Amino acid sequence: MALATDTPVLEVTGLHFGWPGVALFHNLNLSVPAGVSAVCGEESCGKSTLLRLLAGDLRADSGALVLRNRPLSTDSDAYRAQVFRTEPRSDALDAVSARAWLTTLPTRFPTFDLSLALDLAHGFGLDPHIDKPIFMLSAGSKRKVWLCAAFAAGTALTLIDEPFAALDMASIRFLHGLLLEAGEHPDRAWVLADHAPPDDLPLKACLVLGS
């Protein structure tokens, strides 16, 4: 498999990974450009796993990942500081409020803009929920919190799993506008993982995984 693009933000060469008894990726090569790209495919084809690999959160069996000339293998801290990956299904943040969590992120991501994150929370209609413990939020509101963080992170690479799932129509429209703007960014990359490419959203590239 190959994702053909130009001006890559992230380059992946010879990626191999599989779970016990299940080979997912064999000699996968990707060049991810600035703007918005997508990884698509059916359930359990490896979309979320690929995002975890690109983030450096899951170790590949072999292969090289280089983000803005920083190899994951030799400069992992600097690599990971330039990647934000959404995890809306995680329960690790359940005990804290959205606002409290967002205020911690500038220490992890030097480019994180807290003011922008709070503005995005307003745009997603989170004002009534911003100070509630995250476990009290609906699936859609949890996803909105992660999206606020993703678009405020300022990282070179932003990885968003199922961006539109469980969102209300107003939030879908708001997110669509954010992605249209992201698509014009000259030196940052967003990769979306979903069952199909999003409607009416120009993509720089799209990788379709097999079942």
Side-chain angles (χ1 to χ4, degrees), residues 54-124:
L54 298 184
D57 295 333
L58 188 62
R59 186 173 181 176
D61 298 326
S62 62
L65 294 88
V66 180
L67 177 62
R68 283 187 176 169
N69 299 316
R70 293 186 182 276
L72 175 62
S73 60
T74 59
D75 204 356
S76 60
D77 288 345
Y79 181 105
R80 291 189 179 97
Q82 282 297 306
V83 183
F84 188 93
R85 180 175 68 88
T86 64
E87 298 183 81
R89 293 189 180 89
S90 170
D91 59 5
L93 306 176
D94 279 2
V96 301
S97 71
R99 188 193 303 274
W101 177 58
L102 292 171
T103 60
T104 69
L105 294 180
T107 61
R108 181 178 174 188
F109 301 100
T111 52
F112 190 86
D113 186 336
L114 179 58
S115 177
L116 174 58
L118 295 175
D119 286 345
L120 291 169
H122 177 74
F124 276 115

Side-chain angles (χ1 to χ4, degrees), residues 1-205:
M1 300 177 185
L3 188 60
T5 62
D6 49 29
T7 317
V9 174
L10 171 69
E11 293 189 87
V12 179
T13 54
L15 183 71
H16 291 254
F17 180 80
W19 302 110
V22 180
L24 278 180
F25 305 114
H26 176 74
N27 198 34
L28 180 65
N29 299 300
L30 306 175
S31 292
V32 181
V36 178
S37 299
V39 176
C40 300
E42 298 178 358
E43 195 72 26
S44 302
C45 69
K47 301 184 298 294
S48 298
T49 298
L50 181 57
L51 294 195
R52 292 176 63 195
L53 288 163
L54 298 184
D57 295 333
L58 188 62
R59 186 173 181 176
D61 298 326
S62 62
L65 294 88
V66 180
L67 177 62
R68 283 187 176 169
N69 299 316
R70 293 186 182 276
L72 175 62
S73 60
T74 59
D75 204 356
S76 60
D77 288 345
Y79 181 105
R80 291 189 179 97
Q82 282 297 306
V83 183
F84 188 93
R85 180 175 68 88
T86 64
E87 298 183 81
R89 293 189 180 89
S90 170
D91 59 5
L93 306 176
D94 279 2
V96 301
S97 71
R99 188 193 303 274
W101 177 58
L102 292 171
T103 60
T104 69
L105 294 180
T107 61
R108 181 178 174 188
F109 301 100
T111 52
F112 190 86
D113 186 336
L114 179 58
S115 177
L116 174 58
L118 295 175
D119 286 345
L120 291 169
H122 177 74
F124 276 115
L126 284 173
D127 288 345
H129 311 294
I130 194 74
D131 292 308
K132 295 178 182 177
I134 288 178
F135 80 86
M136 295 180 64
L137 304 186
S138 67
S141 291
K142 287 181 182 179
R143 191 172 302 276
K144 294 176 194 180
V145 172
W146 280 95
L147 289 168
C148 292
F151 283 93
T155 48
L157 179 64
T158 301
L159 307 168
I160 305 179
D161 203 355
E162 295 187 330
F164 297 97
L167 296 186
D168 55 88
M169 286 306 301
S171 294
I172 288 173
R173 289 192 293 270
F174 185 66
L175 174 57
H176 190 271
L178 293 174
L179 289 169
L180 285 174
E181 183 178 342
E184 300 302 318
H185 203 284
D187 59 7
R188 292 174 56 200
W190 284 258
V191 178
L192 315 179
D194 217 332
H195 300 290
D199 294 332
D200 302 321
L201 185 68
L203 298 174
K204 300 298 183 182

